[in-house]
Structure formats: structure tokens, C-alpha cells
Amino acid sequence: MSPHPDTRTEADDVRRFWKGLGLPGLVDVHTHFMPERVLRKVWAYFDALGPLTGGVEWPITYREEETARAALLREFGVRGFTAMLYPHKPGMARWLNGWAADFAARTPDCLHTSTLFPEPGVVDHVRDAVDAGARVFKAHVQVGAYDPADESLDGAWGLLAEAGVPVVIHCGSGPAPGKHTGPEPIARVLARHPRLRLIVAHLGMPEYEDFLDLAERYGEVRLDTTMAFTDFSERLAPFPRRALPRLADLGDRILLGSDFPNIPYPYLHQLHALERLDLGDAWLRAVCHDNAARLFGLPG
């Protein structure tokens, strides 16, 4: 598996995948677009094997400029994607949200994405983003190093639950644990806001079964497939095969995520990793398109 695929050939193969399922394309709820200087710092962190990468070699497969990355997703047939961006300190969220609103305005196939951070004014920041048309939020407990159950965020979670705006949240302890990662902190949030539409990134890797528990307990909890089941992740944090029936039963709340462009393998490999679970074409159709299309009101 080449880390530098021929993108034209790969695009043909990706399109062949979803056409074979009878789909109009893919919806990917976990792709990263952010200000170029911020993204380059993220790439430099991966290149340096920073602590939050788990110290694992992590080559960036799609190290292209912004317009080329968006164009490639369109070539793949991704008809809806996100701009997962996140602050690591106070004062960043409002600025990032302004950038993301502009990006969404010039990129109509990107779901308008916003973010948040536990700081003074966070409820106002979130309300402003929702009023500006944000359709999904990103929260990164690992990088932000904050407790999602922090009282300062309570009003923000309540606002998002009331508005029905989904939140993609990295709260599992992979690829490296943080002070507030794992199922317990986010379980406290859900106990207070059971209608919050949380999308747990990476299937909650490596605490897969604990996050499946939460999805079974709360009807608005979903999980995205980002990096799960790939050869890369299976070496580091294999998904327990005993839990596959539970994954099948939650087939209406599992969403395709990829982590594009920050992945150490071709995009197609994520799709093949899902296919080889052998959970059936109906499950794949739901995961790769229909669940997210329904959640975000995308046309059929």
C-alpha cells in the first residue's frame, strides 16, 4: 500500500467503491481544513512525532494546498465534508470560527464547521457561530487538554443540544491519552445533556466498547469511523471483534470519517477497511452516506 497514491487512479477506485453500493457519493464528517499556517503547524507536529501522536511515525499522505485538497475530495465523490478545526488555548476559538465561516461561504460542499473552548464568553461564541449558520462543531479534548464536563462549557453544550447542532468530539484516549480523555468525562456531559448530538471521533479509540456503551445508552450519540479498522490503527489499537455485532446493531448511528488529509495511508484504504468488516452492503451504504446525509439534511 503506497503512502503516495496516484490520485487520479485512486479517485477512480473510490468512485467505483460508492457506485458499487448504489450511492450518489460519500459524506465524510471528519476532514480537516483550517488556516494554512495552523495546518502547517499541525503537519510539523506530526513530522516531529509529537507526544500526542503516540510517538508513531505518521507521514501526511495529502500534503497539498487548500484548493487542491478540496478538489481531490470532490474527485473522490465526497459530496459533503467538514472543516475540523480546534483551539489549544483561550482566544483561538472565535478567530478560528471566523475563518471557518469564510471557508464555508466559498466552499459550499463543506458543512459549516465551528469550534469551542472553555473560556469566558464561550456561550456567546457558540451562539454567534450557530446564528451564523454553523452546522457542526468540533471539540478536541486531547489537544485542548480540558475537561468537557467543565462547568464553563455547560451552557454551550445546552445551547448546542437545544439547537440540534452535532458535535464531533475527540474524547477517546488514542493515539495518546490526555488528562481528560476516556469515557467518564463525556459521560458526565451526557448525563446533564442527554439530547446532545455527539459524534465520537475514531469510534472512541481505544476505548471502543465504553463508547459503544454510551451510544447504546443515549439515542443521539453517534460514532465516526475515522482511522478505525485500518492497518495503521489495528496495529496500535485493534477493534475487539467481539464488539462487531454491536457495531452492526448501531448501523444507523455510525458515520464515515477519514481524518483527510492528515492520514498516513491512501483515502481508499479507510473504505476498504470498512468493507472487509463484512457487515453487509446496507450497513456500508448507511455508514458511508445515508446516516450523515439524514443528520445534516443533505439531498438524496
Side-chain angles (χ1 to χ4, degrees):
M1 184 173 59
S2 169
H4 301 289
D6 178 324
T7 53
R8 178 170 295 181
T9 300
E10 188 187 20
D12 289 342
D13 290 341
V14 171
R15 297 177 78 88
R16 191 175 297 112
F17 172 87
W18 55 258
K19 285 180 180 179
L21 292 170
L23 291 173
L26 303 171
V27 182
D28 188 336
V29 303
H30 198 133
T31 63
H32 291 283
F33 289 87
M34 55 187 70
E36 285 293 290
R37 63 187 178 92
V38 176
L39 186 58
R40 293 188 186 282
K41 288 181 179 179
V42 171
W43 287 346
Y45 189 89
F46 281 109
D47 291 343
L49 305 185
L52 296 184
T53 69
V56 177
E57 186 175 352
W58 199 305
I60 305 297
T61 301
Y62 300 98
R63 200 184 298 253
E64 308 288 347
E65 54 87 25
E66 179 185 289
T67 55
R69 294 195 310 274
L72 183 55
L73 285 175
R74 294 183 189 112
E75 286 183 43
F76 288 165
V78 179
R79 58 196 302 261
F81 54 92
T82 57
M84 296 281 103
L85 70 181
Y86 43 86
H88 63 272
K89 60 184 179 180
M92 285 186 69
R94 184 179 284 277
W95 170 66
L96 289 172
N97 288 347
W99 180 91
D102 180 68
F103 179 74
R106 66 178 189 269
T107 315
D109 40 357
C110 178
L111 298 166
H112 181 171
T113 310
S114 291
T115 189
L116 77 171
F117 195 82
E119 60 185 320
V122 59
V123 176
D124 291 335
H125 298 171
V126 169
R127 182 180 294 109
D128 289 347
V130 171
D131 290 345
R135 301 174 70 184
V136 60
F137 272 69
K138 167 69 172 181
H140 206 313
V141 172
Q142 182 206 41
V143 170
Y146 59 82
D147 184 348
D150 188 295
E151 288 185 3
S152 67
L153 287 171
D154 203 50
W157 297 135
L159 191 159
L160 290 169
E162 185 67 26
V165 177
V167 181
V168 176
I169 184 164
H170 186 136
C171 51
S173 299
K179 184 178 180 181
H180 302 290
T181 59
E184 193 276 331
I186 203 64
R188 286 188 280 125
V189 173
L190 288 166
R192 295 200 294 264
H193 304 284
R195 293 188 298 121
L196 184 61
R197 290 181 164 180
L198 279 185
I199 302 171
V200 177
H202 306 276
L203 287 177
M205 184 186 307
E207 296 106 340
Y208 301 107
E209 291 178 283
D210 293 319
F211 285 102
L212 286 171
D213 288 345
L214 289 178
E216 290 166 349
R217 191 181 315 161
Y218 296 100
E220 291 294 350
V221 171
R222 296 162 174 83
L223 304 103
D224 81 33
T225 67
T226 303
M227 298 190 74
F229 314 111
T230 63
D231 294 347
F232 181 86
S233 294
E234 285 292 286
R235 288 193 297 268
L236 302 173
F239 185 89
R241 281 339 191 225
R242 64 177 175 270
L244 280 177
R246 301 174 69 190
L247 197 69
D249 290 344
L250 286 168
D252 61 338
R253 284 189 281 135
I254 309 298
L255 309 177
L256 174 66
S258 68
D259 238 352
F260 175 94
N262 305 334
I263 46 178
Y265 44 74
Y267 189 93
L268 183 65
H269 180 53
Q270 177 72 77
L271 303 176
H272 284 167
L274 296 174
E275 184 177 44
R276 69 190 182 191
L277 296 176
D278 201 25
L279 295 180
D281 285 358
W283 187 87
L284 282 173
R285 282 192 290 270
V287 170
C288 292
H289 179 273
D290 295 349
N291 293 341
R294 182 174 60 252
L295 178 63
F296 291 106
L298 301 180

